[in-house]
Amino acid sequence: GEDVEQSLFLSVREGDSSVINCTYTDSSSTYLYWYKQEPGAGLQLLTYIFSNMDMKQDQRLTVLLNKKDKHLSLRIADTQTGDSAIYFCAESFDTGFQKLVFGTGTRLLVSP
Amino acid sequence: GAGVSQSPRYKVTKRGQDVALRCDPISGHVSLYWYRQALGQGPEFLTYFNYEAQQDKSGLPNDRFSAERPEGSISTLTIQRTEQRDSAMYRCASSSPFGSGNTGELFFGEGSRLTVL
């Protein structure tokens, strides 16, 4: 079955790096995603990685994928107060459409 | 429109009443999805359309829930005889299909928060 788990909460100081972790159970996923949810707003896609990749870097964001351990992480360099939000990892499968399975979300709090 | 628009943003209703939630996707997006997000949880898939055709409704919890997209644009999610456990944020998303450089990224609306008393 599909199950995606995340730690609930992470607190960092401005300027530090943040690492948000995600584990999943279904190894047949094709894409894995990180979405950001700010208060009162919809979910916004931050970045994604294809399942045959190990790493993807996109400006301050680095995604690492360990397929053997079914572990996905998002590293945010030089974290800013504006990065405070809930971060969701999600996976999709080879069904030809975006039926995503989301994790429970990690609330990131960045203090000045 | 510029983004996915949902209405109403907030809906409070009494148990047993029917509610209809509306989604206006990004213009030209073929696919439209409904997700439900309980407090403190991630979104959970409900159903999905390509154009006007409902492709998958496996996530609808029971037969009180239905959705339509009659002209392949605006969609309505209807919940009949609402129950307190239906209280949640209902999110709509739209996308262009994979291919031609598209990743099939979902663009989410701000959601409709339903409270059933």
Side-chain angles (χ1 to χ4, degrees), chain A:
Chain A
E2 305 151 347
D3 196 14
V4 182
E5 295 189 353
Q6 300 177 238
S7 52
L8 289 180
F9 189 74
L10 176 65
S11 180
V12 300
R13 289 193 178 275
E14 193 174 21
D16 288 349
S17 293
S18 308
V19 180
I20 302 171
N21 295 301
C22 172
T23 58
Y24 57 97
T25 56
D26 195 324
S27 58
S28 63
S29 52
T30 51
Y31 283 88
L32 295 118
Y33 302 82
W34 284 103
Y35 276 83
K36 178 182 181 182
Q37 180 180 334
E38 295 181 275
L43 282 80
Q44 176 193 3
L45 178 67
L46 282 179
T47 188
Y48 65 93
I49 188 168
F50 190 49
S51 59
N52 68 356
M53 296 170 63
D54 298 323
M55 186 184 85
K56 179 179 180 181
Q57 187 146 5
D58 186 358
Q59 299 182 345
R60 291 191 299 124
L61 307 178
T62 303
V63 179
L64 295 177
L65 175 60
N66 182 329
K67 285 202 76 174
K68 175 176 170 290
D69 294 337
K70 300 190 185 70
H71 183 265
L72 180 74
S73 68
L74 174 70
R75 178 177 179 269
I76 306 173
D78 187 25
T79 315
Q80 303 297 308
T81 55
D83 295 325
S84 293
I86 301 175
Y87 291 80
F88 292 94
C89 63
E91 56 178 345
S92 64
F93 305 90
D94 190 17
T95 57
F97 64 93
Q98 293 297 293
K99 181 179 176 181
L100 301 180
V101 177
F102 283 87
T104 49
T106 299
R107 182 178 294 275
L108 174 65
L109 178 64
V110 183
S111 54

Side-chain angles (χ1 to χ4, degrees), chain B:
Chain B
V4 177
S5 176
Q6 292 187 245
S7 61
R9 290 289 309 279
Y10 303 93
K11 176 70 177 178
V12 179
T13 190
K14 291 185 178 180
R15 189 175 47 145
Q17 297 294 305
D18 297 349
V19 297
L21 306 177
R22 173 189 162 115
C23 173
D24 192 352
I26 293 173
S27 178
H29 274 190
V30 166
S31 305
L32 184 148
Y33 305 82
W34 284 100
Y35 282 78
R36 178 170 72 172
Q37 186 175 9
L39 203 59
Q41 299 294 317
E44 179 186 24
F45 172 81
L46 294 178
T47 186
Y48 137 82
F49 293 83
N50 267 348
Y51 300 102
E52 73 281 1
Q54 192 170 20
Q55 300 291 329
D56 186 323
K57 55 182 181 179
S58 62
L60 295 177
N62 51 60
D63 60 8
R64 294 187 297 106
F65 287 72
S66 63
E68 62 175 9
R69 193 186 185 197
E71 297 178 0
S73 179
I74 292 169
S75 175
T76 303
L77 177 70
T78 301
I79 309 171
Q80 296 178 310
R81 305 180 302 281
T82 51
E83 301 178 5
Q84 286 184 326
R85 59 179 171 155
D86 300 333
S87 296
M89 176 74 82
Y90 289 83
R91 296 194 183 273
C92 176
S94 67
S95 73
S96 294
F98 276 112
S100 300
N102 292 324
T103 63
E105 175 185 353
L106 293 188
F107 292 85
F108 281 87
E110 293 179 332
S112 293
R113 182 169 293 285
L114 174 66
T115 302
V116 182
L117 302 177

